[in-house]
Amino acid sequence: MLKLFISMAALFLGVGSSVFAQIEGKVYIDANGNGICDAGERGLKGVCVQDGLNVVKTTDDGHFILPGHKDTRFVTLTVPDGYQASTSHYLSFDGTGKKYELGICKTSVNTGNGYSFVQITDTETSLYGDWIDNLKEYVKTNPTAFIIHTGDICYEAHQDFHGHYLRSVDLGIPTYYCVGNHDLRAGKYGEELWQSHFGPSWYSFDVGNVHYVVTPMLGGDHAPSYRRSDIIRWLKNDLAQTDKGKRIVLFNHDLWFWGDDLLFKDKNGEQIDFADYNLDAMIYGHWHNHYYKQLKSGLHTYCSSTPDKGGIDHGTSCFRIYNADTKGKLSSATRYTYIDGILTSAYPAEGETVSVPDGKMTVRINAYRTISDAKKVTASVERNGRLVSTVTLMPETDWGWSGAVRVSGGKQRLLVTAEFEDGTRLTKRVDYTVTKQPLSVIATSDVWAGLRGNAAHNQLVNDSVSLPLQTNWIQNVGSNIYMCSPIVAQNKVFIGTIDDDKAKKCYVKAYDATTGHLCWTFVTSNSIKNTIAYEDGRIFASDASG
């Protein structure tokens, strides 16, 4: 009888625990956006809901039942395409057996013709900076589906700051977060503080034809409560419920894959092979640099630097814009912060004399704003207060615009106007002099073989120059230049370029120092973000791939 009693007690205990662990709730369309399931607000069928391990879909009336598990801390929905969470995409689980009601509402962003989203990462600050206003203005001006922060807010004060000032309600659009290594702080477990501000450590959401999956850093300053196997088991359950036709994009603070395979596994043999899924891209931070690479597996990997202070690779401060086409294929564009508006005349320069034998002068202008693209740049020539000619310039690179304008001899003024997508208008006036006489050119061998004049970058330059300086020639290299000084040797000018968005326009180029004609182009595997040097007939350069 005693054995029977113990067995029966154990059975009832097991049943009781199982029932208590069940999590019931509803996903509903929050018509009035108040975060409460009011009478008449209908449920939505087929929405995935998860408890940190198990993933189920809602029934016809929006209801769901999750089995729960011992580590359940949140009830989280996979926000479906065309919707956004009315207040939050998760609710804290308290184990009381209450019903968990998750509201969603229609999004204002039309994803049918493609859409864009923004990545920020490694902000590591508790100070309000202009980059935050840049970000807010950008998403206000440019329709944006969501913002993703790929980790390393860092430390207690930093997380408190982001938790109070950089959430969805503050930025005006859905804003998601990843756990970084420095986000794991002292507490009951490493992610405790982070979760108090940002919710579950892993979750997913759908936009357009893409299933986005957010995953946490596997370790850091303090040990997390989760293990690699926990993430693997949830990933399998999540992806099992995902439409096979959708592209998969992974977010994490660091890159999971460096080699040929797409295997994510733990030391005990638990694994998931993303080659079995439609994994298209992995987006990460951690390295404080701008870096794109397509792996042999075909996976596109994107790393971004910080929006507030730049990166260790000389990368400037930025946030990254991703554009998804109608099929969900991604492309990216770095967006440099702290630039309210720049409009510069690269040619002609203020006060210089330019040689224009045929009466047609090529104007080259740089125009850029953080929050909005330039849509039209025009240049007008004025002489003696009268308009001589006007030309609409054509874009050449992210900053550069050019076009040929008619000029006559003598002193004149160039009026440049740049119009931006948000309606901002910038103007620039440049006074210069035109002559039909050719300018004298002095070009000698090895006059400027490295930064500060030599390969060691330590030379004191005592050369004298005759003012005013004059432009002999100017070329657009077809890409961006950053932190690379041109060098001159063997009657050639050499320069290195960057392409942080697709790594397709990364070059070392050589131009004839006298004429400006392109002599040769060497395509590098990635961006050149530092100085190059000349020695003994060779150019030395190191790209971002090392």
Side-chain angles (χ1 to χ4, degrees):
M1 286 296 293
L2 180 59
K3 287 183 179 179
L4 178 61
F5 176 77
I6 292 173
S7 299
M8 291 295 291
L11 176 62
F12 281 112
L13 181 62
V15 170
S17 298
S18 176
V19 171
F20 179 78
Q22 280 192 346
I23 303 167
E24 296 185 40
K26 179 182 179 180
V27 176
Y28 66 97
I29 297 177
D30 191 359
N32 57 15
N34 66 353
I36 300 171
C37 187
D38 298 313
E41 291 184 329
R42 66 181 180 88
L44 192 63
K45 177 185 177 182
V47 179
C48 287
V49 186
Q50 57 115 338
D51 57 18
L53 172 61
N54 307 290
V55 182
V56 298
K57 286 185 176 179
T58 56
T59 59
D60 290 349
D61 59 359
H63 282 86
F64 63 86
I65 298 177
L66 280 161
H69 67 109
K70 64 182 179 63
D71 294 323
T72 298
R73 295 191 188 125
F74 299 96
V75 180
T76 309
L77 65 85
T78 295
V79 180
D81 177 42
Y83 293 88
Q84 64 184 55
S86 59
T87 53
S88 176
H89 65 283
Y90 65 89
L91 292 171
S92 295
F93 175 69
D94 59 14
T96 60
K98 71 178 183 182
K99 287 193 175 353
Y100 292 84
E101 296 174 330
L102 294 152
I104 59 175
C105 56
K106 286 282 188 179
T107 180
S108 60
V109 177
N110 180 11
T111 62
N113 296 321
Y115 59 91
S116 68
F117 66 91
V118 174
Q119 177 200 12
I120 59 175
T121 192
D122 295 87
T123 46
E124 302 185 2
T125 186
S126 59
L127 299 175
Y128 196 98
D130 289 345
W131 68 270
I132 298 175
D133 291 330
N134 291 163
L135 181 61
K136 288 181 176 180
E137 284 298 314
Y138 180 87
V139 299
K140 181 180 178 181
T141 304
N142 304 272
T144 305
F146 63 91
I147 297 171
I148 179 72
H149 189 305
T150 49
D152 265 13
I153 305 165
C154 292
Y155 318 129
E156 289 73 9
H158 301 46
Q159 292 190 39
D160 289 343
F161 173 77
H162 283 68
H164 285 101
Y165 298 107
L166 285 167
R167 299 296 307 277
S168 300
V169 67
D170 308 302
L171 296 170
I173 61 172
T175 302
Y176 301 103
Y177 281 85
C178 297
V179 178
N181 53 298
H182 294 310
D183 297 328
L184 297 169
R185 312 307 307 152
K188 293 178 184 177
Y189 43 87
E191 72 273 27
E192 181 185 20
L193 174 64
W194 190 93
Q195 288 188 341
S196 71
H197 287 301
F198 309 109
S201 300
W202 52 82
Y203 52 95
S204 59
F205 56 93
D206 291 339
V207 184
N209 193 45
V210 182
H211 182 65
Y212 295 97
V213 182
V214 177
T215 55
M217 193 72 165
L218 298 169
D221 295 353
H222 296 270
S225 64
Y226 52 81
R227 295 169 297 176
R228 188 181 290 240
S229 58
D230 297 322
I231 303 170
I232 293 171
R233 291 167 189 165
W234 170 77
L235 279 168
K236 289 180 177 179
N237 292 333
D238 177 78
L239 295 176
Q241 298 282 13
T242 302
D243 183 347
K244 302 301 181 187
K246 284 186 177 290
R247 294 175 185 265
I248 308 298
V249 172
L250 278 175
F251 295 122
N252 191 278
H253 183 55
D254 197 8
L255 182 61
W256 280 357
F257 313 106
W258 296 92
D260 298 336
D261 65 57
L262 298 176
L263 202 61
F264 183 63
K265 59 184 179 180
D266 71 358
K267 60 184 179 181
N268 297 318
E270 188 120 30
Q271 65 181 39
I272 180 170
D273 190 350
F274 281 94
D276 298 333
Y277 302 91
N278 195 16
L279 181 61
D280 186 62
M282 187 162 190
I283 295 171
Y284 64 106
H286 189 51
W287 296 95
H288 291 231
N289 64 7
H290 304 306
Y291 187 75
Y292 166 84
K293 186 175 182 180
Q294 184 175 357
L295 304 184
K296 291 181 180 179
S297 62
L299 180 69
H300 302 275
T301 65
Y302 300 89
C303 183
S304 288
S305 185
T306 69
D308 59 322
K309 54 189 168 293
I312 59 175
D313 64 338
H314 292 171
T316 187
S317 54
C318 88
F319 48 86
R320 188 182 289 274
I321 311 301
Y322 295 86
N323 295 298
D325 65 15
T326 54
K327 295 181 180 179
K329 187 176 181 180
L330 297 184
S331 59
S332 85
T334 45
R335 202 82 204 162
Y336 306 113
T337 50
Y338 302 111
I339 304 174
D340 291 334
I342 285 180
L343 183 61
T344 302
S345 178
Y347 186 79
E350 177 67 32
E352 79 168 322
T353 298
V354 297
S355 175
V356 189
D358 60 358
K360 287 186 177 181
M361 179 178 70
T362 299
V363 176
R364 295 187 183 271
I365 303 297
N366 291 328
Y368 194 86
R369 294 185 72 229
T370 296
I371 67 170
S372 183
D373 287 324
K375 66 177 182 179
K376 184 178 182 181
V377 180
T378 58
S380 300
V381 175
E382 296 177 353
R383 188 168 186 267
N384 298 325
R386 296 179 59 187
L387 180 65
V388 176
S389 60
T390 299
V391 64
T392 298
L393 307 184
M394 299 301 293
E396 290 187 302
T397 47
D398 292 344
W399 299 59
W401 297 67
S402 72
V405 63
R406 287 188 296 106
V407 294
S408 54
K411 293 184 177 180
Q412 48 204 261
R413 170 173 289 178
L414 188 72
L415 175 63
V416 182
T417 302
E419 299 175 25
F420 293 83
E421 295 286 355
D422 68 343
T424 299
R425 186 183 178 96
L426 299 179
T427 59
K428 177 80 174 180
R429 289 174 172 82
V430 180
D431 292 314
Y432 59 98
T433 302
V434 171
T435 179
K436 292 186 177 182
Q437 300 301 316
L439 302 176
S440 60
V441 179
I442 300 174
T444 58
S445 179
D446 303 349
V447 296
W448 200 253
L451 180 67
R452 293 187 66 182
N454 66 0
H457 306 168
N458 61 6
Q459 181 169 303
L460 295 176
V461 180
N462 296 313
D463 292 349
S464 60
V465 295
S466 299
L467 297 177
L469 297 177
Q470 294 177 323
T471 303
N472 180 42
W473 55 264
I474 185 168
Q475 293 282 10
N476 187 297
V477 301
S479 188
N480 292 331
I481 300 169
Y482 188 68
M483 287 286 185
C484 182
S485 297
I487 58 176
V488 181
Q490 294 186 350
N491 199 39
K492 292 183 177 66
V493 177
F494 303 92
I495 190 67
T497 72
I498 69 170
D499 178 3
D500 291 326
D501 298 319
K502 206 65 175 178
K504 297 295 186 184
K505 297 180 180 180
C506 305
Y507 317 117
V508 176
K509 290 195 172 188
Y511 294 90
D512 185 287
T514 304
T515 65
H517 293 154
L518 179 64
C519 299
W520 53 258
T521 298
F522 182 87
V523 179
T524 60
S525 64
N526 221 289
S527 297
I528 295 176
K529 302 182 181 181
N530 45 29
T531 56
I532 59 179
Y534 167 86
E535 182 70 23
D536 193 24
R538 291 179 173 85
I539 295 295
F540 295 86
S542 176
D543 70 7
S545 295

